[in-house]
């Protein structure tokens, strides 16, 4: 028994030290947009959306697991696999989907980082935008993937511990929390629910995974390690992070018109007069990690589509990474309250995600790929497609009912294009199956 225990403990320690790729996805997921969605959900709907929060952790882990399978079994980046087995048009649609979703998110996240930096230091947010752009160029284009991975693991661990500690000083209504596990969608909750799910099941997280595993040199031989990586980061760490923030918010916040400073002041009883600064530092830390992780995603896909290398050893990729980092600087000039912007950005990710899930499922079941997906994994993937598609549809219906501004109108148009592409892809798969039968 002692020998078996020692072996098990040694395996756990080995896995913990070797983990990494999925923790970058976890760092992006556990970012300011997710935090904003969770805070908004708790403040407006009390415990009613707890089921969405719990679902998001399982859905996020499942999405990363499917992406992990595709990456390991093909040992290629997802764009190259799509181009080979579906054609160049589908590859470009996927690249465009990711670049738009990640690009808009990058601008809003930069706005968050610079707004928080300006509030803490008193230095103009636009100057902070230039400074953070330079930091991104030097850190990412200079040091590459492993710098992002190490930072992600440290930050996610610290943030999870901080929010778990907060649960011990908040009075949680366990009865109402239990009722919140029953799936219901209150009026006006579609956007927030889409934001919560979009934080965990996001097209950038799904598409980046094959590239981060390649950066580590993982192959099919590392399947068990990669699976443990997904479960530890997305299901456990991200799940605890999300549930803790939501329960704290639902128990203490009552203002439906939250601002970043307003949320900090409302959380004041938890940590006393330091609440504002602790909240802003936490929000800023989450934003910085997400900003760094999100920066590497579009260059991965664009470089792969152009046939370039996807590490900083390839000068072309390095320059592409630096260019995307520089293009994030205008986010500092957006202005406005970031919480509402962050929720809408996650909703944008949600409407783009069903297409990415459909792509992964198609490839995992395509005879030409040879990935041989299991029935259980397929059922989980279809459930994931149905849930993400349903929330995206609810968001679109809610926007039609309430009217559009420029940003929500663009999200609506984006949703329609990708919905059409998803339906065409599913139809193509059905036709192929009928032909083979």
């Amino acid at each position: 028994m002692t020998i078996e225990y020692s072996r098990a403990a040694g395996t756990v320690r080995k896995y913990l030290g070797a983990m990494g790729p999925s923790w970058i996805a976890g760092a992006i997921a556990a970012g300011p947009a997710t935090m904003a969605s969770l805070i908004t959900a708790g403040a407006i709907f009390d415990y009613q959306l707890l089921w969405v929060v719990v679902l998001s952790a399982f859905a996020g882990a499942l999405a990363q697991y499917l992406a992990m399978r595709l990456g390991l079994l093909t040992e290629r980046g997802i764009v190259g696999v799509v181009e080979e087995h579906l054609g160049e048009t589908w590859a470009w649609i996927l690249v465009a989907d990711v670049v738009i979703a990640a690009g808009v998110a990058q601008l809003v996240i930069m706005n968050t980082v610079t707004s928080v930096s300006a509030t803490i230091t008193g230095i103009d947010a636009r100057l902070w935008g230039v400074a953070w752009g330079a930091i991104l160029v030097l850190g990412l284009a200079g040091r590459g993937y492993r710098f992002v991975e190490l930072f992600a693991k440290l930050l996610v661990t610290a943030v999870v511990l901080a929010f778990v500690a907060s649960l011990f000083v908040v009075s949680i209504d366990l009865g109402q929390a239990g009722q919140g596990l029953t799936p219901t969608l209150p009026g006006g909750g579609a956007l927030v629910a889409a934001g919560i799910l979009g934080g965990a099941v996001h097209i950038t997280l799904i598409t980046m995974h094959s590239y981060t595993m390649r950066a580590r040199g993982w192959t099919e031989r590392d399947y068990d390690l990669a699976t443990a990586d997904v479960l530890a980061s997305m299901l456990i760490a991200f799940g605890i992070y999300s549930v803790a923030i939501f329960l704290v918010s639902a128990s203490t916040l009552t203002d439906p018109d939250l601002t970043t400073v307003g949320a900090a002041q409302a959380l004041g009883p938890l940590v006393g007069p330091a609440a504002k600064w602790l909240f802003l530092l936490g929000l800023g830390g989450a934003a910085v990690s997400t900003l760094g992780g999100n920066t590497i995603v579009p260059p991965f896909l664009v470089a792969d589509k152009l046939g370039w290398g996807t590490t900083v050893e390839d000068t072309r990729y390095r320059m592409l990474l630096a260019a995307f980092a520089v293009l994030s600087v205008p986010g500092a000039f957006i202005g406005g309250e970031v919480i509402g912007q962050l929720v809408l950005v996650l909703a944008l990710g949600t409407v783009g995600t069903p297409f990415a899930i459909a792509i992964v499922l198609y490839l995992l079941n395509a005879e030409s790929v040879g990935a041989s997906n299991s029935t259980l994994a397929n059922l989980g993937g279809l459930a994931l497609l149905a849930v993400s598609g349903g929330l995206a549809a609810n968001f679109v219906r809610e926007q039609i009912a309430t009217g559009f501004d420029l940003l929500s109108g663009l999200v609506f148009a984006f949703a329609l294009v990708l919905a059409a592409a998803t339906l065409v892809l599913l139809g193509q798969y059905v036709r192929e199956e009928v032909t083979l039968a």
Side-chain angles (χ1 to χ4, degrees):
M1 181 68 70
T2 302
I3 294 175
E4 291 298 322
Y5 175 81
S6 298
R7 287 176 177 172
T11 300
V12 170
R13 286 194 296 270
K14 177 182 176 182
Y15 276 12
L16 288 175
M19 287 178 185
S22 192
W23 286 82
I24 297 180
I28 296 176
T34 298
M35 187 185 295
S37 294
L38 293 167
I39 290 172
T40 302
I44 297 177
F45 302 108
D46 295 323
Y47 297 94
Q48 293 181 70
L49 294 179
L50 179 58
W51 69 275
V52 178
V53 178
V54 174
L55 175 65
S56 72
F58 283 93
L62 176 58
Q64 290 307 116
Y65 173 76
L66 293 173
M68 176 211 83
R69 277 183 55 78
L70 181 63
L72 288 183
L73 296 178
T74 61
E75 297 187 8
R76 295 184 61 188
I78 189 172
V79 171
V81 178
V82 169
E83 185 165 11
E84 179 179 348
H85 298 281
L86 285 171
E88 188 172 15
T89 299
W90 289 105
W92 276 120
I93 292 174
L94 181 62
V95 171
D97 188 3
V98 172
V99 169
I100 291 171
V104 173
Q106 188 81 354
L107 293 174
V108 175
I109 294 166
M110 177 62 85
N111 186 30
T112 305
V113 172
T114 56
S115 296
V116 172
S117 300
T119 301
I120 293 174
T121 64
I123 299 174
D124 192 288
R126 292 166 294 185
L127 295 177
W128 272 114
V130 175
W132 281 115
I135 291 171
L136 285 176
V137 171
L138 294 174
L140 299 180
R143 302 186 61 183
Y145 165 80
R146 294 305 292 266
F147 171 75
V148 179
E149 182 184 287
L150 176 61
F151 190 70
K153 291 169 75 172
L154 293 174
L155 185 71
V156 171
T157 301
V159 170
V160 168
L161 291 175
F163 279 103
V164 168
S166 70
L167 289 176
F168 291 95
V169 293
V170 175
S171 178
I172 298 171
D173 189 325
L174 296 179
Q176 288 192 35
Q179 293 177 11
L181 293 172
T182 302
T184 57
L185 197 59
L191 174 60
V192 179
I196 293 172
L197 188 68
V201 186
H202 196 281
I203 184 170
T204 57
L205 310 184
I206 296 170
T207 54
M208 74 184 292
H209 208 51
S210 58
Y211 299 100
T212 52
M213 290 190 301
R214 287 182 69 198
R216 285 294 298 271
W218 286 3
T219 66
E220 193 173 351
R221 294 189 301 272
D222 300 293
Y223 194 94
D224 290 342
L225 171 59
T227 302
D229 190 39
V230 168
L231 293 177
S233 62
M234 292 302 298
L235 183 61
I236 298 175
F238 176 74
I240 293 173
Y241 164 91
S242 299
V243 170
I245 292 176
F246 177 80
L247 291 178
V248 169
S249 301
S251 301
T252 59
L253 303 181
T254 58
D255 182 5
D257 299 315
L258 285 175
T259 64
T260 49
V261 175
Q265 292 170 338
L267 290 170
L270 302 181
V271 288
K276 172 182 174 180
W277 302 109
L278 289 176
F279 179 86
L280 290 174
L281 287 170
L283 180 63
V288 169
S289 70
T290 304
L291 186 69
N294 193 70
T295 302
I296 69 175
V297 180
F300 272 148
L301 276 76
V302 173
D304 192 13
K305 181 65 189 72
L306 296 175
W308 301 348
T310 54
T311 68
V312 292
E313 280 69 34
D314 189 316
T315 303
R316 297 168 298 181
Y317 171 77
R318 186 194 294 264
M319 297 303 294
L320 191 62
L321 190 59
F324 193 74
V326 171
L327 289 174
S328 66
V329 172
F333 296 80
I334 294 175
E337 181 47 49
V338 299
I339 285 186
Q341 295 172 1
L342 289 167
V343 173
L344 191 57
V345 160
L346 279 190
L348 174 65
T350 297
V351 300
T353 298
F355 176 69
I357 296 172
I359 284 281
V360 170
L361 285 175
Y362 181 101
L363 293 172
L364 283 173
N365 287 278
E367 186 175 343
S368 58
V369 177
S372 63
N373 213 32
S374 68
T375 300
L376 184 60
N378 280 332
L379 290 175
L382 289 173
L384 191 62
L385 182 60
V387 170
S388 61
L391 284 174
N394 276 328
F395 163 68
V396 170
R397 283 198 297 269
E398 198 169 277
Q399 288 300 305
I400 292 174
T402 58
F404 298 99
D405 56 22
L406 177 61
L407 185 56
S408 61
L410 292 174
V411 173
F412 176 69
F414 184 64
L416 290 182
V417 171
L418 291 178
T422 303
L423 291 174
V424 171
L425 182 65
L426 292 176
Q428 179 173 319
Y429 177 75
V430 171
R431 287 194 303 272
E432 290 175 358
E433 288 297 300
V434 170
T435 301
L436 289 174

